[in-house]
Amino acid sequence: MTSKAAFKSALIEWSVWSDQVVNGQLNPVLLDLANRGYYIQSEVLHIPEQYAIFSTGPPRLQVYEGQAFVIAYYIILYIGAALAFFSFLLRRLGKFNIRLYAIPLITFIFILVELYIALLYPPQRAPGYVWDDWEV
């Protein structure tokens, strides 16, 4: 019974939504997510390094990028779902007008661009950035 409780707490402790550094160790789930993201963007999609979200930087930076990607993914998912529901509602009411739909769509595109810029140029990528919660 003790091992089950320890395993359950380990799952909660090392999840996508847990802290980036737990008990002095980097979150391995976020680190693995960042490593796989880097592999996909560089080897599969062949995205140049200057336009890439994930980097080959230090592991602490990779953990940060993994968590930032997860947060951005869910923001996009929820806003996209709200936009789809808005579109469905307008069509169902018979009031669908491209001008009325364009404002939320343009806002969604603007948010996508802002998220991409925020993921591409965080202050943590600056050379010599000092992490408050991590010692190399």
Side-chain angles (χ1 to χ4, degrees):
M1 192 71 173
T2 308
S3 63
K4 236 182 196 181
F7 180 71
K8 199 173 201 180
S9 69
L11 284 178
I12 293 169
E13 191 173 322
W14 298 117
S15 71
V16 175
W17 297 113
S18 66
D19 292 334
Q20 295 175 13
V21 177
V22 178
N23 297 330
Q25 293 181 331
L26 294 176
N27 188 333
V29 175
L30 294 173
L31 186 59
D32 187 50
L33 177 77
N35 287 331
R36 289 175 192 259
Y38 180 77
Y39 171 78
I40 291 170
Q41 84 182 8
S42 62
E43 300 295 325
V44 177
L45 299 175
H46 301 290
I47 297 174
E49 190 74 28
Q50 65 264 27
Y51 304 119
I53 294 172
F54 299 103
S55 68
T56 58
R60 180 65 181 93
L61 175 63
Q62 292 175 358
V63 168
Y64 169 80
E65 291 169 344
Q67 189 176 48
F69 176 77
V70 169
I71 292 168
Y73 173 78
Y74 278 100
I75 289 172
I76 292 167
L77 184 73
Y78 289 133
I79 292 174
L83 188 62
F85 178 73
F86 181 68
S87 171
F88 171 76
L89 191 62
L90 287 177
R91 286 183 188 271
R92 190 84 166 140
L93 294 173
K95 306 245 186 229
F96 187 82
N97 184 348
I98 194 67
R99 291 185 196 133
L100 182 63
Y101 187 68
I103 294 170
L105 183 63
I106 291 170
T107 304
F108 180 66
I109 292 170
F110 181 72
I111 290 170
L112 284 177
V113 170
E114 280 186 344
L115 282 173
Y116 177 69
I117 291 170
L119 289 174
L120 197 58
Y121 301 111
Q124 288 81 356
R125 280 195 181 186
Y129 181 81
V130 178
W131 298 92
D132 294 336
D133 59 352
W134 178 252
E135 295 289 329
V136 178

